Amino acid sequence: MTQLDDLIQSGSRIECHGPWPRVVVDRPAWEAAGAALAAGELTLLGLWGETETVHMAVGETGRLAVLSLPCPDRRYPSIGRAHPPALRLERAARDLYGLVPEGSPDTRPWLIHADPYPFLEAEGPGLHQIAVGPVHAGIIEPGHFRFAANGETIVRLEARLGYTHKGVEALMAGATVEAAAQIAGRVSGDSTVAYAWAFVQAVETALGLKSPPRAIQLRALMAELERLANHLNDIGFVCNDAAFGLLHAHFAALREGVLRAADTAFGHRLMRDLIVPGGVSKDLAAPGKEAIAAAVAAIRRQWPLLVEIYDDTASLQDRTVGTGIVKTGLARQDGAGGYVGRAAGRNFDARAAFPYAPYDKLRFDVPVREEGDVDARVRIRIAEAEQSLSLIDQLLAGLPDGPLYAPLPAANGPAEGMALVEAFRGDVLAWVRLNADGTVARCHLRDASWFQWPLVEAAIEGNIVADFPLCNKSFNCAYSGVDL
Amino acid sequence: MRRLLLDGLLHRPLTEPPPVPDDAALAELTQALARAARRRLGRSLSLRLVDAGSCNACELELNALGNPYYDLDRFGIRFVASPRHADMLLVTGPVTRNMAEALRRTYDAMPAPKWVVAVGGCAIDGGCFARSPAVLGGVHQALPVDLTIPGCPPSPTALLRGLLALLEQADAGKMEKT
Ligand code: SF4
């Protein structure tokens, strides 16, 4: 019996929840789960609230469960008290649903801004503060970074986010699943495919619907194009932040090729609003197939040379190697996904760890490295882009015929579903409860960056201020995705 | 690397011919300029972007303007790091309550004459977030808007059309003046 089994058996199972179990637990079980998280026996996959309940998704290798603790008095034992990765999720749940985590060491609001915001203190001779943001010099999302530095060396960094808080969860409540899918696709625009997919997969699981094989295959094709475009973008931008514009220009051109192919294939450069509950809204025709194949071929032609330049340019390596190191232990404890976790020895990719169709039938590797520095995060992206190229080949070659869409059945009583989909940045967790009329009662979308942002803060300690943009770019954490 | 640099010298660049200015954007712009009745704008246009709560896809397409296909710099248009150097403020997103003050302060820091462009559906009217109490529901709720560029997100071509329309108007103004 594993820790997870004990927890599942200690609670009462919610039958309408799938594909993983959800159990209502009591306080002692909730606290035991917190202790197991702190001890590293379980990994935190999410924590979210609703009016009188707090939920937490926890996992072991290949398995996960949702634990729900009723809290009619709107108080629950803090998980973050012993397991810091939960802290910001608890602060968000407090802001959105008024649920108070008892014993939490951090009672500051997170998504709801009320100035002045007390930053954590760093004291010592010669320390000074540098405040950056929310408006930045470049074309990037808003966030505030507070550095405590000693000369050039960063002693502490604290990020303050929430600037793009749009009230996503409140907007989704009561919306039709079609409208909610559009909102899900706008939680983090660079991951519009992954978010829409996670959301509709949760809805389809709740309703017991399997969308047609062709639709599933096209979803994966879009997801891999999205991953490829974003990785190309990120590799280029990291090089740019290391003052190596040549590679930036080349990777940006390759990325543009992917977006144009997506436009030809699906009518939208970022493939937005194409994944709908029940299937996909657009088919792939011959010109689209050709455009994608041409973009893939163009990347393959240039790839060896570009990777070689990345490898051989000493001035670039000088900036990326050994900069912003995430320690493996921290990545594990934190449950960090995406290239951030995989560059620091944590082998987790939702496509492999919790395989969903069509990835259960596709061949791909999950690259993992141990170094945890900027260079490792770039190299993981390079390796993953190569995997995406191969996946795109497989998806195009094996595209089944058939319908694109299956009509949604009626809810017939309570229905809850969940999904874990690998976006380019890491796993997106979607949890949804449907009303009897088929509308959304409650939806929570958890971005991978909830567990990546704290690592930015940890990794930058002891680095110089001038390396922060480079380091931050190598994480490329979501802002809108976590601000909800 | 030598091979790559040599390739760059020997082959045609990726850059495309500039698109024709968009008529609707042009009409709107003419009004905005008339209303402002300002001095002409110099040929070198400096832009400043503020993400006022976008989903980040609008930023992706604004960034794409710098890639070798569009190469914004060749129009004399560039993104500047400080609002104090900017002629025009591009705003994306539905203007969240948490960004409203930073947006206003950025605008206030710009020297006059200055123009505000609402980029994308969210910036125009709040888009699919308009109903949320966490957002103001469009840039016009916070600042005077001179030009809107629709789209979710607007493609780089649509962005270029809007910006070029503005430049051509400024140029026309310049010719009248001299
Ligand atoms: S207009 Fe569309 S792309 Fe732009 S911020 Fe809004 S949702 Fe994102």
Side-chain angles (χ1 to χ4, degrees):
Chain A
M1 286 271 281
T2 66
Q3 187 82 17
L4 199 62
D5 289 319
D6 285 347
L7 285 166
I8 293 171
Q9 289 193 353
S10 77
S12 61
R13 181 107 181 228
I14 301 292
E15 293 305 331
C16 66
H17 186 278
W20 302 290
R22 174 163 93 83
V23 291
V24 177
V25 296
D26 56 10
R27 271 179 165 247
W30 178 268
E31 285 174 329
L37 287 167
E41 295 156 12
L42 293 175
T43 303
L44 185 66
L45 285 157
L47 188 152
W48 63 99
E50 55 186 324
T51 323
E52 291 188 348
T53 312
V54 61
H55 306 279
M56 163 163 76
V58 293
E60 283 173 345
T61 312
R63 309 175 58 216
L64 69 86
V66 177
L67 311 177
S68 304
L69 177 68
C71 37
D73 59 349
R74 303 209 164 185
R75 306 178 74 82
Y76 65 96
S78 165
I79 297 296
R81 178 179 44 182
H83 188 60
L87 281 176
R88 284 180 179 168
L89 288 159
E90 290 183 347
R91 291 165 70 189
R94 183 182 196 155
D95 285 354
L96 298 179
Y97 297 95
L99 301 176
V100 179
E102 286 171 358
S104 168
D106 196 340
T107 56
R108 296 171 298 170
W110 182 243
L111 295 179
I112 308 297
H113 285 190
D115 283 277
Y117 184 79
F119 285 91
L120 300 176
E121 281 176 19
E123 278 179 20
L127 287 191
H128 60 281
Q129 288 201 2
I130 307 173
V132 184
V135 177
H136 297 278
I139 307 174
I140 55 170
E141 296 183 76
H144 181 95
F145 300 106
R146 186 64 62 97
F147 300 92
N150 190 340
E152 270 291 279
T153 307
I154 298 168
V155 176
R156 163 174 268 163
L157 162 67
E158 190 183 359
R160 186 194 186 192
L161 306 175
Y163 290 94
T164 69
H165 174 58
K166 295 181 270 293
V168 166
E169 297 194 348
L171 279 172
M172 290 178 99
T176 62
V177 286
E178 289 77 16
Q182 295 197 345
I183 297 173
R186 284 163 179 77
V187 169
S188 187
D190 47 20
S191 307
T192 182
V193 171
Y195 265 89
W197 193 359
F199 173 77
V200 302
Q201 197 172 303
V203 168
E204 289 164 8
T205 302
L207 296 174
L209 175 76
K210 262 199 163 48
S211 48
R214 187 175 176 85
I216 290 179
Q217 191 95 346
L218 288 176
R219 285 175 182 175
L221 180 60
M222 293 178 203
E224 293 310 318
L225 287 169
E226 179 175 272
R227 190 181 329 277
L228 181 61
N230 279 304
H231 280 349
L232 293 170
N233 199 40
D234 281 359
I235 299 166
F237 267 100
V238 169
C239 294
N240 195 47
D241 277 344
F244 199 68
L246 178 75
L247 280 186
H248 179 217
H250 279 275
F251 280 106
L254 292 181
R255 168 179 182 267
E256 179 69 20
V258 176
L259 299 191
R260 289 180 174 208
D263 196 22
T264 307
F266 299 109
H268 194 289
R269 287 163 54 88
L270 303 175
M271 298 167 286
R272 178 160 269 166
D273 296 338
L274 294 165
I275 295 185
V276 296
V280 295
S281 64
K282 207 153 200 147
D283 202 1
L284 179 68
K289 266 190 177 179
E290 283 158 24
I292 293 171
V296 165
I299 294 169
R300 285 218 169 94
R301 251 195 325 276
Q302 292 242 41
W303 200 250
L305 182 59
L306 296 180
V307 174
E308 189 189 311
I309 293 176
Y310 178 80
D311 275 340
D312 289 353
T313 306
S315 65
L316 197 53
Q317 304 277 311
D318 183 46
R319 296 291 305 279
T320 58
V321 175
T323 306
I325 295 174
V326 172
K327 297 200 181 75
T328 301
L330 204 54
R332 289 236 168 83
Q333 185 206 5
D334 200 45
Y339 42 75
V340 173
R342 294 191 287 272
R346 182 167 185 261
N347 185 348
F348 181 87
D349 181 319
R351 293 173 296 173
F354 295 95
Y356 48 99
Y359 291 104
D360 48 354
K361 302 224 166 55
L362 296 169
R363 277 166 288 113
F364 64 100
D365 293 332
V366 177
V368 180
R369 297 181 76 93
E370 302 291 330
E371 302 88 339
D373 55 1
V374 171
D375 179 60
R377 288 186 283 279
V378 170
R379 287 177 191 276
I380 290 285
R381 285 176 171 100
I382 290 175
E384 288 183 8
E386 290 166 0
Q387 293 300 314
S388 288
L389 292 174
S390 146
L391 283 167
I392 291 168
D393 287 346
Q394 297 175 48
L395 289 161
L396 282 176
L399 196 60
D401 290 329
L404 296 177
Y405 177 81
L408 295 185
N412 289 334
E416 297 179 356
M418 193 170 170
L420 209 56
V421 163
E422 188 74 14
F424 87 98
R425 200 177 261 125
D427 47 306
V428 173
L429 179 148
W431 182 82
V432 68
R433 176 187 297 135
L434 299 176
N435 290 317
D437 64 357
T439 56
V440 174
R442 168 88 178 90
C443 176
H444 174 70
L445 298 163
R446 193 273 297 139
D447 196 276
S449 287
W450 282 101
F451 303 123
Q452 295 170 337
W453 273 114
L455 297 183
V456 177
E457 297 175 354
I460 199 66
E461 204 184 305
N463 286 251
I464 59 170
V465 177
D467 273 342
F468 176 70
L470 175 72
C471 189
N472 196 33
K473 197 74 219 175
S474 74
F475 281 83
N476 190 16
C477 291
Y479 295 73
S480 186
V482 295
D483 287 350
L484 294 171
Chain B
M1 179 162 16
R2 213 177 296 137
R3 207 167 97 218
L4 193 72
L5 292 172
L6 215 61
D7 266 2
L9 288 175
L10 298 178
H11 290 111
R12 213 171 47 82
L14 300 168
T15 318
E16 304 195 317
V20 283
D22 183 272
D23 287 346
L26 228 144
E28 197 172 350
L29 188 69
T30 321
Q31 285 168 13
L33 288 182
R35 202 171 50 238
R38 301 249 200 224
R39 289 175 300 129
R40 65 178 163 74
L41 198 62
R43 181 66 191 163
S44 173
L45 178 66
S46 296
L47 310 173
R48 176 62 247 206
L49 168 90
V50 170
D51 171 343
S54 109
C55 75
N56 80 25
C58 277
E59 277 63 39
L60 290 180
E61 294 297 49
L62 285 165
N63 262 320
L65 286 174
N67 80 35
Y69 284 84
Y70 305 103
D71 192 13
L72 193 63
D73 277 8
R74 76 197 147 119
F75 299 111
I77 306 177
R78 62 207 171 93
F79 284 93
V80 292
S82 167
R84 298 195 194 282
H85 304 155
D87 308 305
M88 189 190 287
L89 183 63
L90 306 187
V91 188
T92 61
V95 188
T96 58
R97 295 208 176 273
N98 291 348
M99 269 309 284
E101 189 197 335
L103 174 63
R104 280 193 207 102
R105 283 214 225 167
T106 307
Y107 177 78
D108 289 344
M110 289 169 64
K114 51 189 166 187
W115 286 268
V116 175
V117 183
V119 175
C122 286
I124 295 173
D125 61 8
C128 72
F129 305 105
R131 284 191 303 117
S132 170
V135 307
L136 302 191
V139 182
H140 64 283
Q141 302 285 4
L143 301 176
V145 174
D146 299 297
L147 176 75
T148 60
I149 304 179
C152 184
S155 66
T157 319
L159 291 166
L160 272 185
R161 282 202 181 114
L163 297 177
L164 281 186
L166 183 96
L167 263 192
E168 296 198 347
Q169 274 303 303
D171 263 7
K174 181 162 81 184
M175 278 186 278
E176 274 160 34
K177 234 183 156 191
T178 43

